Amino acid sequence: SERDRVRLITAAKSAQSVVLLCRGDGAVHSRRNWDQMVRRGARVKVFLVNNGVDPRHVRLFVRSTGAFVANNKTAAGRAKNRRVEIHFG
């Protein structure tokens, strides 16, 4: 929602660091999944920077396997596992 976007941008602007942790639904590491996670995280970074967040404060990390939040055996679960976690420091 617009309200969530405003809160996200406000928090990111006031943070000393913003860590984007890109996660996927892969059970094993693959180049294709890695590239998808990097692109997903890069889109989030571009969104933040375009809304005034200092790009020097934004770091992107990729975790290609594991740390699933949902059952990875279903389409709905895999969709939830493909995500970018945003942490402020």
Side-chain angles (χ1 to χ4, degrees), residues 20-76:
L20 304 177
L21 183 55
C22 309
R23 299 209 183 250
D25 63 357
V28 296
H29 175 74
S30 76
R31 182 63 186 197
R32 180 175 175 243
N33 283 340
W34 182 271
D35 290 345
Q36 288 173 340
M37 288 180 285
V38 169
R39 283 192 301 272
R40 191 178 300 122
R43 284 192 302 268
V44 174
K45 182 175 181 175
V46 166
F47 169 80
L48 293 172
V49 170
N50 285 346
N51 283 281
V53 177
D54 187 335
R56 296 172 297 173
H57 296 173
V58 182
R59 297 183 352 204
L60 189 132
F61 295 93
V62 176
R63 298 290 181 260
S64 60
T65 59
F68 301 131
V69 294
N71 184 339
N72 210 40
K73 294 182 182 187
T74 67

Side-chain angles (χ1 to χ4, degrees), residues 70-71 73-82:
N71 184 339
K73 294 182 182 187
T74 67
R78 287 188 300 276
K80 288 181 181 180
N81 291 328
R82 294 185 296 267

